Every structure is written in structure tokens, then in C-alpha cells.
Amino acid sequence: MKSQWWKKSVVYQIYPKSFYDSNGDGVGDLKGVIQKLDYLKGLGIDVIWLSPVYQSPMDDNGYDISNYQAIAEEFGSMEDMDRLIIEAEKRDIKIIMDLVVNHTSDEHPWFLESKRDLHNPKRDWYIWKNGKEDGTPPNNWRSIFGGSCWEYDEQTNQYYLHVFSKKQPDLNWENPQVRNEVYKMIRWWMDKGLSGFRVDAITFIKKREDYSDIVSNSFDGLSPIADVSLNQDGIHQFLMELNEKAFSPYDILTVAEAPGVTSKELPKYVGENGYFNMLFEFDHVDLDLGKEGKWYQPNNWNLLQFKTAISTSQNIYNELGWGALYLENHDQPRSLNKFIKPDGISTTSAKMLATVYFLLKGTPFIYQGQEIGMTNVSYESIEEYNDLASIDQYQSALKEGYSIEEALAAIWKRSRDNARTPMQWNDTRNAGFTTSDPWLKVNCNYTSINVENSIENRDSIYYFYKELIHLRKSSEYSDVIVFGKYQALLENHPEIIAYYREFKNKKILIIANFEDEEIKAELDLSVKKIILTNYKNASTNLKDLTLRPYEAIVYEID
Ligand code: GLC
Ligand code: CA
């Protein structure tokens, strides 16, 4: 029987390139992570999810791996990685890594061999197809980062498939040799003392097998590959095997990035014999995304939709499985900018957001900088952006007739670089992230928003997160926060989110106002105690409650 230790954990995600630069080359690194372990220990987290540090040409900042068993030079060495695991362990912190096995880099030796000739033993390790009779790509599928998902190779006169960039060719999971090689690699890392994996883009590993065109209504004649390569029939066999051969021998945390999985399918993914312990859902963070995921045609959304997205999965987790609770990661803009109106962004609203997601049923994830309230950036021109997706979205917007200003405004809102700006440690040059020029420009608000200020100021967002972690890990409310049943309240209230959690004889109520004005609520419940609030005090009259702007309160109730 496994301990399921991850149920009680709080995970902190590190995007190594932007976390802390120990040697002044402008790029964050593993030694930098080691130097900041005490900071993380102080915050109270107990698991680090490290975004990829494997050897990579860095086309997609490490999500394009050219050697799974080596560390990228700019991040350090395998010795540094081993030391990180040991130093973290000394502080009771576990490390999980990103597992990127939908694709490799086009510079991975497997691909270099596969590409060599039609009869190479590794030819079938990737997905190669002939073009159409007129020489155009095999079909009209559009890759996630724009353009055809097929790249022509002159030498063998065939195309290879890439769901993401052309430097990220997809592995052919239909080939059992590929799968076995992947499992072997996973076990190699496990034996090094890793505590699990965040499993990248895993719902893409099975493609629709006829590889035919799909109807397109788009300016480029293409159609999103997601429709034919996300969570397709037959994927279950691969995932079952992955679990059996690579994960199940170990007592580890596995969290899958799993777009395309509907709530009906959650049992298969995270149920009792599920493929993973938990998965990242997208509904609640992608509310603002328009059709086909175009950033420049955003969706108007409201709080009721957010509440529905949360409740749908929480209700399932009452019965089976486990939630992965998050508002931010390296692919998402900062949560303050997404969920709060520009004028409302403040310490108070940041604490409100924290309260709302952190006390749901599941394991909370904090993305670096979220704990100090870091926000989006607005670079003046597209040249200053690094993110592949931003550059593609910008160009598509221009092709579809939007102006430069409009295209840029969409990037400001949605760019993945919003979350990738260097971590703001203090108010010295470049936010104390590096002693030279950082690889991506620091957000100019670092003089006020930074770790040093946050630690000096008792009222900061940082201390609020620390308090939430403390409540969850070591207070009389730990059990109800970790294991309690979720129940939504005020489901049709358009401005307030409320739910309670219940375990044995304990009940806690979480209530929060998403507006920057006073809002009334009425609940037929009685207060035993105020546990936490983002104001100095809180009302105890739930029957006639007026919540102040962005007020959030956690109560113990009868
Ligand atoms: C995942 C990662 C993202 C990356 C993509 C391709 O979505 O989170 O950063 O670009 O996979 O590996
Ligand atoms: Ca460095």
C-alpha cells in the first residue's frame, strides 16, 4: 500500500531559467536553486516541481530535450542535480521533474538516426509520412505553435510530425521499443532519488490514425491538431502501460498536464487505478481563451463560469481521485492580471485569490513569484519576447488583419513570458536575479514587488501564503483542509465564491468577494471562529454579511 504522501504536500514550481542565476551569465541555474532552498523552506513548501533542466538546444526553453540523462550546460551538471536532490532532502523537500516524452528535440540522437534514411532501425521511432501528390504536407493539421505540424526533410523526401515546434518531433508511441526506452529512462531517474514527475503534454501521445484532412474555417486553411491528437481512442492502453511499467513500482507523485480530458474521464485518469495521482485541468484557467485558442480573439467570461469549472471537478474529487490546485504556471499569465480588474490588483486581491484556490480539495501548487504577487509585463515590441507561442500568435494576428497595437495588446495579456520574467528577489539592479543582463527583461515593478520587501513586511502576500501553508500542514484544520468533502454554496451568486469543507466533526467555510466594491451575501450558517481573513477583522453575522472589496474570510462553522 502506498502512503500517498503527496496528498498533504504543497508544491512549488520552479522555472529554472528565471529563478536565480548563481554565476552571472544571465540565466538561472541549479546552483541558484540550491542557494534559495532555505527561502523555500521558510515559505513552508515541501515539494519542488522543477521545469526541464535536461540537455536541450532550448528552442522551447528545455521542453525540447536532446538527452534525457544529461543536464543542460547553462543549468549546471549532473553533480549539481544530485546535490540539489540531497540538499533538498536535508530540508525535507522532495523534487519532482518534468517528464517530456510526447516529443524530443530534433537534435536528440534518436531523431538524428531516424532522419538518416528510410530504412534506419529508428525510422519508425518518429512519425514520418509522404506528402500529398502535389508535394504539399500530408494533411492540414496546425501545430500548437502555429503553421503546419509537418516539416519536410529533403534527404528522405518525407515529412515528420510535430505537435509543437518543428524542433520538437513527436515520438511514435505506437512503437513498443520507444515506449520501453521511455520507461527505462524514467526508472533511471527514479533510482536517483527523484520523488515523481509532472508529465508534460501527455494527452497528445496518440494521434488519429487516418491522418486525413479536417475541415478548416481558418485563414490559413489549417485546423488545430488538438482535435485529432488529444486524448484519442487507444491512448488508454499507452497510459496504463506507462503507469504499470514506470510509475507503479514507486511511491511517487505523478501529475499530468492533460488538456482534452473531460470530467467524465477523470476516473480513468486519476481514479483508484488511474494512470496518474492527479492532473492539471484547464477549464478554470483558460476561460479567457477564444476559439481555436487565439489570444487576439479573447472570450468574455464571468465568475459563474469559473465557479462551475471548479465545482465540476471538485464534486468528482469528493468521490474519487485528487485535485491539482493551481492558478499559475510557466504557460499561463499571472493570475492577478487574469482574474482581477487592473485597478483592483493589490495585496488584498492577491490574498483573496490565494484563499479561494488553496483551500479546495487537492494538492496546491504555487508558481514562483506568485507568493509575492508578481504581475504580467508589457514589453514595447515583439522583439523583446522569447516565447515561441507569443511570436506565433503575434504573427497570426497581423496576418488576420489586426494592427500592431492590437496584436501586442493580446501578447501583453496572454504571453507565456508574463510568468517567465526573472524572479524578483530584491530592489537592486535586475531584481537581484543576476549580476549581468538577464535572458529576459525584468518586470520594472521589481523595486516594490520583491522577496526582500515581502519578508520585511508582516502584512505581505508572502506571509499570507505562509499562513495558508501552515493551516494546511500543521493546524487543527489540517485534516479538514486536506481530506474534507467539498460543497459549493451560493452557486448562482455572480460576484461571490463560497464553499465549505467538512471532515468528521469539523466544518470550514471559505467565502470571497471577487469585486472591488461591497457585496452582500446571506448564508444560514453560524460562525464558531474566524480562522483567516485578508482584512484586519471580519464580520461574524453570516445571515446578513457585507463583504468589502476583494474580502476573503475562512470561518469555522457549526
Ligand atoms: C507543455 C509545457 C509547455 C511546452 C509544451 C511543449 O505544454 O508546459 O511549456 O511548450 O508542453 O513541450
Ligand atoms: Ca547562470
Side-chain angles (χ1 to χ4, degrees):
M1 182 63 192
K2 299 204 176 142
S3 68
Q4 301 191 322
W5 53 267
W6 36 266
K7 286 194 172 172
K8 293 186 174 170
S9 297
V10 176
V11 186
Y12 187 91
Q13 183 191 352
I14 290 182
Y15 196 68
K17 199 169 178 183
S18 306
F19 193 58
Y20 185 60
D21 174 20
S22 72
N23 63 349
D25 63 357
V27 175
D29 45 54
L30 287 173
K31 286 205 171 84
V33 176
I34 295 172
Q35 288 177 29
K36 295 296 182 185
L37 282 173
D38 287 330
Y39 165 69
L40 298 176
K41 182 72 191 165
L43 179 60
I45 60 100
D46 48 14
V47 180
I48 292 171
W49 152 23
L50 197 62
S51 275
V53 291
Y54 311 93
Q55 187 181 303
S56 160
M58 299 286 163
D59 182 53
D60 189 17
N61 287 333
Y63 283 89
D64 48 320
I65 296 169
S66 54
N67 184 345
Y68 288 106
Q69 278 146 300
I71 301 294
E73 229 175 287
E74 51 265 70
F75 291 147
S77 62
M78 193 55 80
E79 221 184 318
D80 295 333
M81 187 62 216
D82 291 336
R83 234 193 81 219
L84 171 60
I85 296 175
I86 292 169
E87 288 298 321
E89 203 181 340
K90 282 188 197 159
R91 295 163 176 85
D92 283 323
I93 295 176
K94 296 182 161 71
I95 306 278
I96 69 169
M97 282 175 95
D98 236 286
L99 179 68
V100 189
V101 289
N102 172 67
H103 47 269
T104 67
S105 160
D106 65 338
E107 298 180 32
H108 193 294
W110 297 344
F111 187 73
L112 296 178
E113 269 190 57
S114 180
K115 205 175 131 168
R116 201 166 294 152
D117 61 85
L118 292 170
H119 307 291
N120 190 283
K122 291 210 168 56
R123 184 66 174 180
D124 190 42
W125 282 39
Y126 293 83
I127 301 167
W128 292 95
K129 299 273 177 221
N130 291 324
K132 289 184 176 160
E133 265 168 31
D134 61 359
T136 56
N139 63 34
N140 71 341
W141 300 357
R142 185 195 304 116
S143 84
I144 302 279
F145 293 148
S148 170
C149 71
W150 297 99
E151 183 69 10
Y152 182 63
D153 171 54
E154 227 166 76
Q155 195 172 315
T156 56
N157 191 27
Q158 279 195 321
Y159 288 84
Y160 67 84
L161 179 132
H162 56 92
V163 165
F164 295 93
S165 94
K166 65 178 182 205
K167 287 190 66 64
Q168 295 168 302
D170 279 50
L171 282 166
N172 179 14
W173 273 70
E174 305 290 339
N175 182 327
Q177 283 176 323
V178 169
R179 304 202 299 271
N180 281 326
E181 208 54 42
V182 166
Y183 308 149
K184 222 166 77 191
M185 176 274 287
I186 295 174
R187 293 193 299 259
W188 184 85
W189 273 105
M190 290 316 312
D191 294 340
K192 259 184 174 304
L194 223 56
S195 297
F197 289 102
R198 177 266 186 180
V199 190
D200 185 72
I202 196 67
T203 38
F204 282 102
I205 58 176
K206 178 94 187 178
K207 280 73 181 170
R208 197 173 81 184
E209 273 168 55
D210 65 2
Y211 286 91
S212 57
D213 278 344
I214 25 181
V215 181
S216 164
N217 305 314
S218 187
F219 70 104
D220 56 2
L222 302 176
S223 233
I225 193 164
D227 296 350
V228 283
S229 74
L230 257 189
N231 195 28
Q232 297 291 299
D233 285 348
I235 193 173
H236 302 291
Q237 209 184 319
F238 295 159
L239 295 179
M240 222 142 62
E241 190 184 86
L242 167 68
N243 177 281
E244 226 175 77
K245 298 209 169 154
F247 297 153
S248 74
Y250 305 94
D251 188 8
I252 56 174
L253 187 170
T254 56
V255 51
E257 186 197 29
V261 176
T262 59
S263 47
K264 268 206 206 104
E265 282 173 310
L266 282 180
K268 278 202 228 159
Y269 276 81
V270 297
E272 197 172 340
N273 297 308
Y275 320 127
F276 306 100
N277 300 144
M278 54 188 115
L279 56 77
F280 290 124
E281 293 168 79
F282 282 75
D283 286 357
H284 71 294
V285 290
D286 279 351
L287 286 166
D288 60 326
L289 273 191
K291 251 194 17 234
E292 297 198 4
K294 291 176 187 169
W295 299 351
Y296 44 93
Q297 289 168 5
N299 196 26
N300 268 330
W301 61 277
N302 59 44
L303 189 67
L304 289 176
Q305 293 166 313
F306 179 76
K307 286 166 47 159
T308 305
I310 300 274
S311 279
T312 306
S313 49
Q314 286 285 303
N315 287 334
I316 294 172
Y317 300 141
N318 278 337
E319 307 301 324
L320 56 89
W322 196 251
L325 313 171
Y326 79 104
L327 295 179
E328 291 185 18
N329 61 38
H330 65 293
D331 292 331
Q332 292 286 337
R334 292 291 181 175
S335 56
L336 272 165
N337 298 84
K338 188 187 294 173
F339 296 109
I340 307 292
K341 293 180 204 142
D343 291 344
I345 294 178
S346 68
T347 304
T348 310
S349 53
K351 291 176 182 175
M352 183 277 286
L353 282 180
T355 312
V356 164
Y357 94 98
F358 213 89
L359 299 174
L360 292 167
K361 186 168 176 136
T363 298
F365 287 69
I366 302 170
Y367 178 70
Q368 67 184 40
Q370 183 181 338
E371 79 279 19
I372 56 167
M374 280 178 64
T375 63
N376 285 354
V377 275
S378 311
Y379 297 137
E380 270 165 41
S381 103
I382 193 68
E383 266 79 63
E384 297 191 78
Y385 284 86
N386 166 277
D387 165 31
L388 286 174
S390 300
I391 293 159
D392 162 58
Q393 292 270 349
Y394 179 82
Q395 284 163 353
S396 303
L398 295 184
K399 275 190 207 136
E400 285 204 61
Y402 291 86
S403 68
I404 289 183
E405 290 71 33
E406 287 166 331
L408 212 49
I411 303 305
W412 290 344
K413 272 227 158 81
R414 255 290 165 181
S415 175
R416 304 193 298 174
D417 283 341
N418 282 313
R420 299 176 182 183
T421 61
M423 178 74 179
Q424 294 164 204
W425 293 103
N426 57 43
D427 65 3
T428 66
R429 195 171 154 263
N430 289 319
F433 162 74
T434 179
T435 50
S436 66
D437 292 329
W439 69 278
L440 187 69
K441 247 173 64 181
V442 171
N443 190 322
C444 57
N445 63 18
Y446 73 91
T447 47
S448 54
I449 300 176
N450 63 59
V451 168
E452 214 172 87
N453 274 356
S454 305
I455 291 179
E456 269 163 27
N457 174 7
R458 272 270 138 206
D459 199 33
S460 68
I461 302 165
Y462 166 85
Y463 283 106
F464 197 82
Y465 269 98
K466 214 172 135 95
E467 179 62 24
L468 281 168
I469 296 171
H470 165 77
L471 276 178
R472 188 172 200 283
K473 294 196 69 78
S474 36
S475 79
E476 58 179 302
Y477 304 105
S478 297
D479 279 349
V480 64
I481 293 173
V482 175
F483 300 108
K485 181 173 183 273
Y486 165 92
Q487 175 68 55
L489 294 168
L490 304 176
E491 277 171 290
N492 299 317
H493 198 301
E495 287 113 5
I496 285 180
I497 187 163
Y499 59 89
Y500 72 82
R501 306 283 313 280
E502 180 173 15
F503 186 75
K504 295 190 177 151
N505 292 327
K506 267 222 175 347
K507 264 194 193 177
I508 61 170
L509 165 71
I510 291 90
I511 185 161
N513 175 6
F514 263 77
E515 287 300 318
D516 54 4
E517 58 193 13
E518 290 190 349
I519 303 283
K520 284 194 178 304
E522 205 187 304
L523 283 162
D524 193 15
L525 296 167
S526 58
V527 171
K528 243 173 136 168
K529 195 175 153 191
I530 297 164
I531 302 172
L532 185 69
T533 151
N534 60 350
Y535 278 76
K536 295 229 148 38
N537 48 29
S539 161
T540 49
N541 183 4
L542 296 178
K543 290 180 181 84
D544 180 17
L545 184 64
T546 303
L547 286 175
R548 290 164 281 188
Y550 303 114
E551 182 164 10
I553 312 168
V554 184
Y555 294 105
E556 182 174 354
I557 52 175
D558 273 325

